[in-house]
Amino acid sequence: MKKHIPLDSTIKELDDIMSRVNGLEASSTDDYQKATVSVLKTLVQGEITLFKEFEHLKKAIDLVTLEMFKIKNNN
């Protein structure tokens, strides 16, 4: 079983990948390469957004759970 990778490490890794993709964009010479780089940028940015949104959902679930315990303890 793999060890859990922290969110910050994952985001940093994706940022590093985005930097490499930007380097590819700068060195691309034809339309096919530029289109491929555009797809890669979209995919990497989507992954970054997905991980950040997932973190927001985890926080929301924690807050809802906390509120449920408060309600349960008041009754």
Side-chain angles (χ1 to χ4, degrees):
M1 183 177 244
K2 286 187 175 182
K3 188 176 177 182
H4 175 73
I5 301 170
L7 177 68
D8 293 339
S9 297
T10 304
I11 297 293
K12 184 184 178 324
E13 212 173 292
L14 287 168
D15 283 336
D16 292 345
I17 292 170
M18 184 63 87
S19 295
R20 287 187 225 147
V21 170
N22 287 333
L24 285 172
E25 182 179 37
S27 66
S28 60
T29 56
D30 61 15
D31 288 338
Y32 177 76
Q33 290 175 347
K34 289 177 184 177
T36 303
V37 167
S38 175
V39 170
L40 288 173
K41 283 179 85 166
T42 302
L43 290 173
V44 173
Q45 189 59 49
E47 286 293 310
I48 291 170
T49 302
L50 189 122
F51 278 106
K52 288 181 179 179
E53 288 299 319
F54 182 68
E55 189 65 23
H56 290 296
L57 288 173
K58 284 180 10 182
K59 288 178 184 176
I61 289 170
D62 288 344
L63 289 173
V64 169
T65 304
L66 183 64
E67 289 301 316
M68 287 175 45
F69 281 120
K70 285 181 183 177
I71 291 170
K72 183 178 179 185
N73 288 336
N74 287 340
N75 290 335

